[in-house]
Amino acid sequence: MSRVAGKVVLVTGAGSGIGRATAKLLAAEGATVVVTDINKPGGLETVQQIGEANSGGGARFEEHDTAREADWKRIIDDLMAREGKLDGLVNNAGIAGPFPSTFETETVEQWQRMLSINVQGVFLGCKHGVPAMKQSGGGSIVNTSSLAAFLGTPALSAYGASKGAVRQFTKTVAMDCARKGYRIRCNSVHPGIIMTPMGQGILPNDKARDRALKSIPIGEFGAPEDIAYGILYLISDESRFVTGTELVIDGGMNAI
Ligand SMILES: NC(=O)c1ccc[n+]([C@@H]2O[C@H](COP(=O)([O-])OP(=O)(O)OC[C@H]3O[C@@H](n4cnc5c(N)ncnc54)[C@H](O)[C@@H]3O)[C@@H](O)[C@H]2O)c1
């Protein structure tokens, strides 16, 4: 149980769903995890669960709005002062609502809010995480995109656009860091339909649930841990030769 032993990893949006499962798994595999979220009770609950499991290097919480540059500066400076290095960064925080929301009905305010969290948040994480990783001798960044990055998403217009941007931006960061010899990798993960508060929010009733289930070749919805295991691989040194890639974890939906 030591696939990331000794590593310091920051996970955003770790107060719920995929972020919480990832923080718990990384800690169980030996990492010290800095859990961040805009939702303080959720983040503290994640830290408590890691403490109860008596996992690895343990965890602590920071209140963090990933769309705000000042928050990133404070958290990364503090992390370098306290933990002394940053080996891994999981840019996982995101929003999906309102649902449904088509490009004809969406307001400019909704569009901008979506992009400020789902895209600007990832940009700021890379912008402020990379210098810290350079000081640490290298690192691995994982950006949570979505299956939506590959498909038209008529009922989630701004969301799909935001995840397409994350998919592309990840490759830019990967190429730039590789060419500059930073020893920093950057990859995206692409969850299908995962049973988290967000996943449940886009399946408002039994009819929507049944229809969605029929579209998944494996025949079941994903669990947050299914994504966490992919992120664990990308943060660990097992993926040392992997950068700029897309890890799709979707029960086969993207293969249809
Ligand atoms: N659940 C799915 O089916 C699914 C599918 C594809 C992609 N994803 C992506 O996975 C990631 C995690 O989603 P989830 O399903 O665990 O959702 P979730 O709603 O359970 O968790 C998202 C977390 O992000 C936090 N957050 C929201 N805005 C924030 C901000 N500005 N700053 C910091 N934290 C913020 C929330 O407080 C919450 O704790 C998201 O990026 C989402 O788009 C989820």
Side-chain angles (χ1 to χ4, degrees):
M1 306 298 268
S2 56
R3 292 172 65 186
V4 287
K7 290 190 187 295
V8 176
V9 186
L10 190 160
V11 184
T12 71
S16 176
I18 293 168
R20 172 176 288 165
T22 300
K24 288 170 70 174
L25 183 59
L26 288 165
E29 292 290 343
T32 297
V33 183
V34 178
V35 166
T36 85
D37 204 296
I38 203 167
N39 171 4
K40 188 173 178 184
L44 290 173
E45 171 67 25
T46 301
V47 170
Q48 189 182 331
Q49 289 183 17
I50 291 171
E52 283 164 5
N54 204 13
S55 284
R60 66 177 176 85
F61 172 71
E62 288 286 344
E63 201 165 345
H64 182 193
D65 180 346
T66 56
R68 282 175 45 90
E69 186 157 32
D71 279 19
W72 276 105
K73 283 186 180 152
R74 170 179 57 80
I75 285 163
I76 297 284
D77 286 353
D78 188 52
L79 184 151
M80 292 304 278
R82 291 170 70 169
E83 277 83 19
K85 62 172 187 162
L86 177 65
D87 303 299
L89 169 62
V90 185
N91 283 312
N92 164 80
I95 57 168
F99 178 82
S101 120
T102 72
F103 76 92
E104 290 178 298
T105 59
E106 216 147 45
T107 65
V108 169
E109 289 72 26
Q110 286 167 346
W111 177 270
Q112 288 178 338
R113 177 162 185 268
M114 183 71 69
L115 267 65
S116 78
I117 296 172
N118 288 11
V119 186
Q120 184 171 300
V122 173
F123 153 65
L124 290 173
C126 294
K127 178 177 172 172
H128 292 282
V130 163
M133 285 183 173
K134 279 167 72 182
Q135 280 181 49
S136 311
S140 172
I141 300 172
V142 179
N143 295 329
T144 309
S145 176
S146 169
L147 186 58
F150 302 97
L151 311 166
T153 53
L156 284 167
S157 144
Y159 180 80
S162 75
K163 294 302 183 179
V166 170
R167 175 185 175 213
Q168 196 280 341
F169 178 65
T170 299
K171 296 180 197 308
T172 295
V173 174
M175 290 306 96
D176 209 9
C177 290
R179 286 185 182 147
K180 289 174 177 162
Y182 289 172
R183 302 175 61 83
I184 297 170
R185 300 180 292 105
C186 186
N187 295 287
S188 51
V189 292
H190 300 263
I193 305 175
I194 311 301
M195 279 302 106
T196 66
M198 180 188 289
Q200 280 153 356
I202 61 167
L203 301 171
N205 52 48
D206 286 350
K207 199 172 156 210
R209 230 179 121 85
D210 289 350
R211 202 173 47 226
L213 204 50
K214 286 198 181 89
S215 70
I216 306 174
I218 273 184
E220 57 183 278
F221 295 117
E225 291 72 21
D226 294 322
I227 311 305
Y229 274 106
I231 296 173
L232 170 66
Y233 166 68
L234 292 171
I235 291 292
S236 81
D237 296 336
E238 295 160 15
S239 57
R240 57 172 285 278
F241 200 53
V242 180
T243 198
T245 200
E246 301 156 356
L247 180 53
V248 179
I249 306 174
D250 68 347
M253 282 177 91
N254 201 35
I256 300 172

